Structures are given as structure tokens and as C-alpha cells.
Amino acid sequence: MARIAIAGASGLVGKRLCAALAADGHALLRLVRRPASGAGEAEWDPENGRLEPAALEGIDAFVHLSGESIAAGRWSPARKSEIVRSRTVSTRLVAATLARLLSKPSLVAASAIGFYGDRGGEWLDETSRPGRGFLPEVCVEWERACDAAREAGLRVVNVRIGVALDPAGGALPAMLVPFRLGLGGKMGTGAQYVSWITLDDLVGALRHCLVSTTL
């Protein structure tokens, strides 16, 4: 079984992924922003660029799920800057640190479906060009932040995640509130596209990305 490091292990997706990987028999190393408490944790401080390569040496894969939520608050210039920074700074640190390791682990890094922008009914896949606007720009920079790992010859998978839905948290409980109040009818033309995925399917996709040799 593999030894897998995870950044963002305390989030909605990270908790479910950790449980699934542990059930599969993998050894987990959770990155935490406080002093580590045991062999299953490693401390890091992405804001100050601290992540010791020695703590990661020997891992087979790294899953990077950290990033500021885009849902909370108005998108002021300062807020938009923080959204970009929270993703790119931590991802660059992870990629650069992994590039220095002797073990050359895989990097499975979160990106988002926002890469494609608003394209209506256009058929899109992983070969499609990025869209236009703030979210596509964020995703392009986010994925480019992995370049140090790619240039070092590591296998890098950028997972363009849609809205993850699960009763335990995230978008779905918030979406249910207006429906329960009788306010969940059609808004606008009803032709707006929302790319969503259940949390269980997302965890399954991440597990596939970790073990597949064709990605």
C-alpha cells in the first residue's frame, strides 16, 4: 500500500478522502498548521513558505486540497487577490518541495471547473482551452503553480472539480434552505449550467487519480 500526504485533510473533501484511503489500507500523513502530534502528521506554514522536505521523503503521493473558499463574501479586489494567493502560494510551496525529494512522488492537486468559464452548451473536456474572466484566470494560475513538480519529472494531475454536493456540508445544505422556504423555483432563464458532483464520486475520482497510470 502507498504512503500518501494530504494537505486540506480537515476539510469536507479531505476528511472523506482520508477515511476512504485509510479503509484501503494506505498510510496517511496529514499536513497541519500547528505542531505535529505524532508520526501521522507533518507541520507546514504555507504563508511563510515552511514545509520541510525531510517530513515528506518516502511518500508515494501528495494530495493538495487547500484553498480559500470562493463562496464567502463579496468579490472585492482584496478578496479576489486572496482567492488567487491562497491557491498559488501553497501550491508553489508543495510543488517546489516535492521537486527536491529523492522519492519523486505523484502530485494530485485540486483545480476547479471554473477553468472553462461560462461556455453554454459547448462540449468541454480536459483538452479544452481556458475560458475568460476571473475564475478561469484563477484556475490557470493555480495549475501553473505546479510547474516546479512537472519540470522535476513528477507525475502531476490537476483535478478540475465541480460543485461537490453532500448532506454533511459544503454547498448542498446552503442550497436547501431556500427550497425549504418555498423559494427554490427557477431563477432567470433556467438555462444556467452548474457542473456538480457528489462527494462520494469526487472521492472516488481522487482515488482513481492516485492509482491510475494513464493520467
Side-chain angles (χ1 to χ4, degrees):
M1 293 297 175
R3 186 166 184 251
I4 302 170
I6 301 178
S10 63
L12 178 69
V13 179
K15 286 180 180 177
R16 190 72 61 86
L17 178 62
C18 285
L21 293 176
D24 289 340
H26 299 299
L28 303 182
L29 179 67
R30 296 170 173 84
L31 268 67
V32 296
R33 304 190 192 204
R34 53 168 172 75
S37 59
E41 293 184 348
E43 183 181 359
W44 75 322
D45 182 357
E47 290 297 315
N48 293 300
R50 287 199 304 108
L51 177 57
E52 291 298 326
L56 302 179
E57 194 64 72
I59 64 171
D60 299 290
F62 191 111
V63 182
H64 185 37
L65 300 173
S66 295
E68 185 79 10
S69 171
I70 66 170
R74 185 176 64 87
W75 283 3
S76 64
R79 175 71 177 148
K80 290 167 77 171
S81 177
E82 180 56 30
I83 288 171
V84 175
R85 188 175 182 280
S86 72
R87 286 157 171 74
T88 56
V89 168
S90 63
T91 304
R92 286 193 193 100
L93 175 61
V94 168
T97 304
L98 296 181
R100 297 166 58 188
L101 301 183
L102 297 175
S103 52
K104 302 301 180 187
S106 298
L107 171 58
V108 176
S111 181
I113 207 76
F115 177 94
Y116 302 104
D118 183 1
R119 309 276 274 272
E122 181 183 348
W123 180 265
L124 301 168
D125 61 22
E126 65 273 14
T127 66
S128 300
R129 300 287 298 170
R132 297 180 180 179
F134 174 62
L135 289 181
E137 291 169 3
V138 170
C139 293
V140 168
E141 289 302 309
W142 198 1
E143 294 182 13
R144 282 178 180 164
C146 294
D147 282 352
R150 290 191 187 91
E151 291 163 3
L154 276 65
R155 173 178 170 268
V156 176
V157 181
N158 293 113
V159 187
R160 294 172 184 160
I161 301 170
V163 179
L165 300 181
D166 189 84
L172 185 58
M175 293 167 62
L176 287 174
V177 172
F179 281 87
R180 286 170 174 159
L181 294 174
L183 303 173
K186 184 175 76 173
M187 300 180 67
T189 65
Q192 298 89 341
Y193 289 82
V194 178
S195 181
W196 61 273
I197 184 170
T198 68
L199 183 55
D200 286 340
D201 283 344
L202 174 54
V203 167
L206 291 168
R207 290 162 73 192
H208 175 71
C209 290
L210 285 167
V211 302
S212 174
T213 59
T214 60
L215 297 173

